[in-house]
């Protein structure tokens, strides 16, 4: 530690609590033998993600693993924009690689993965996603879904064809309209906002949200530690039958965190 560190650190910083705590777990569920979900928990740089592979067990597991490996290589960011740019560039490279690998497997083969990435940088967060893995935020006690699924049923809901409460058990519920590796024209949707003290973020695969609706998830998201929240959500999903792989990551901003 040099003199510069000492001078630049705001007074009292050493006594301030860690700016956030996080925990994540993935489970194959009660029906499937292979876990095609992957997660990454990088509190060191403020990066968390869930990926849900599609294309059949082996291909799906490889696709989500490649997504997470690419995010594991992201360097410590110099700015919020550089952070998001690097994430997007690395995921675009995975997109292109998956298209090449799938076409080598044969015509019509698909090897793809959803992704939802949460980034923290100096009091702000960004969420970038493709597919139906989700980010939720509990702010001031209110649960809100930050992401909007790229899925056929979401389109049906928005077109007024089906009611939101019909979406979860719709027969086309597994059909996503965007993913890493699904099309050459790669795109992520992005939401950015300030982090408020006490914000609780929940990053998850559809294995959670197909088993539990928002009204069932909300009461679990109380003040307990992130690891305990994750365990409770996993336990509730398994108790419900866990027909899909399930992945849950929780990230809580400290109640005293400054939005510097
Ligand atoms: Mn899934």
């Amino acid at each position: 530690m040099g003199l510069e560190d000492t001078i630049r650190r705001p007074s009292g910083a050493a006594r301030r609590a860690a700016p956030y705590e996080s925990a994540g777990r993935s489970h194959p569920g009660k029906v499937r033998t292979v876990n095609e979900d992957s997660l990454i928990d990088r509190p060191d740089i403020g990066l968390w993600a869930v990926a849900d592979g599609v294309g059949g067990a082996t291909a799906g597991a490889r696709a989500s693993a490649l997504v997470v490996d690419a995010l594991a290589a992201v360097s410590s960011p110099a700015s919020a924009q550089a952070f998001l740019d690097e994430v997007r560039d690395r995921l675009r490279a995975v997109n292109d690689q998956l298209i090449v690998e799938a076409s080598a497997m044969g015509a019509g083969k698909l090897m793809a993965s959803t992704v939802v990435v949460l980034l923290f940088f100096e009091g702000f967060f960004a969420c970038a996603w493709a597919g139906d893995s989700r980010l939720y935020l509990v702010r001031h006690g209110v649960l809100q879904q930050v992401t909007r699924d790229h899925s056929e049923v979401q389109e049906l809901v928005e077109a007024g064809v089906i009611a939101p409460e019909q979406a979860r058990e719709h027969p086309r519920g597994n059909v996503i309209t965007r993913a890493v590796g699904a099309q050459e024209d790669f795109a992520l949707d992005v939401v950015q906002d300030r982090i408020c003290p006490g914000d609780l973020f929940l990053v998850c695969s559809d294995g959670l949200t197909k088993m539990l609706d928002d009204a069932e998830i909300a009461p679990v998201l109380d003040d307990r530690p992130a690891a305990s929240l994750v365990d409770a959500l996993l336990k509730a999903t398994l108790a419900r039958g866990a027909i899909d792989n399930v992945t849950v990551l929780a990230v809580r901003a400290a109640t005293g965190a400054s939005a510097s």
Side-chain angles (χ1 to χ4, degrees):
M1 186 185 300
L3 181 61
E4 195 175 61
D5 296 292
T6 313
I7 292 168
R8 283 190 178 169
R9 180 172 299 133
S11 61
R15 292 190 302 277
R16 201 178 290 154
Y20 45 76
E21 59 139 351
S22 64
R25 281 183 68 188
S26 187
H27 192 287
K30 299 272 233 186
V31 175
R32 300 193 173 179
T33 50
V34 175
N35 193 348
E36 298 174 63
D37 286 2
S38 297
L39 71 86
I40 180 163
D41 179 9
R42 285 196 66 189
D44 59 317
I45 62 167
L47 182 156
W48 301 270
V50 166
D52 180 349
V54 292
T58 314
R62 172 158 174 77
S64 72
L66 284 174
V67 164
V68 159
D69 288 350
L71 294 171
V74 171
S75 45
S76 188
S79 71
Q81 192 58 50
F83 204 3
L84 195 52
D85 286 348
E86 185 177 352
V87 164
R88 194 185 277 112
D89 289 348
R90 289 187 182 277
L91 291 177
R92 185 181 286 113
V94 174
N95 185 75
D96 297 350
Q97 182 184 348
L98 287 171
I99 289 171
V100 169
E101 287 193 22
S103 66
M105 287 162 57
K109 293 285 186 186
L110 178 72
M111 183 165 20
S113 178
T114 71
V115 68
V116 53
V117 193
L118 173 65
L119 306 174
F120 276 18
F121 190 85
E122 291 185 352
F124 289 83
F125 77 88
C127 174
W129 80 97
D132 64 353
S133 297
R134 291 179 180 172
L135 176 70
Y136 287 89
L137 167 61
V138 180
R139 176 171 288 174
H140 309 311
V142 179
L143 177 71
Q144 49 184 297
Q145 186 179 329
V146 177
T147 52
R148 188 187 139 272
D149 293 351
H150 300 127
S151 68
E152 278 195 2
V153 289
Q154 179 65 29
E155 291 178 358
L156 292 173
V157 168
E158 288 174 13
V161 176
I162 62 170
E165 51 273 21
Q166 292 177 283
R168 216 156 53 90
E169 294 182 352
H170 195 276
R172 300 284 288 172
N174 287 324
V175 183
I176 56 175
T177 53
R178 213 192 281 188
V180 183
Q183 58 250 79
E184 298 202 358
D185 185 15
F186 175 70
L188 294 166
D189 274 350
V190 177
V191 168
Q192 300 179 78
D193 192 10
R194 186 174 286 275
I195 298 167
C196 292
D199 275 357
L200 173 62
F201 296 85
L202 174 67
V203 193
C204 62
S205 65
D206 68 334
L208 175 76
T209 52
K210 288 225 163 60
M211 294 291 101
L212 304 173
D213 64 25
D214 293 4
E216 294 169 312
I217 292 171
V220 182
L221 302 176
D222 58 17
D223 294 340
R224 74 188 107 179
S228 170
L229 283 176
V230 166
D231 286 347
L233 286 171
L234 204 53
K235 194 174 163 199
T237 306
L238 292 168
R240 197 56 69 79
I243 58 167
D244 192 6
N245 309 142
V246 52
T247 305
V248 181
L249 246 169
V251 185
R252 190 197 309 276
T255 47
S258 80
S260 61

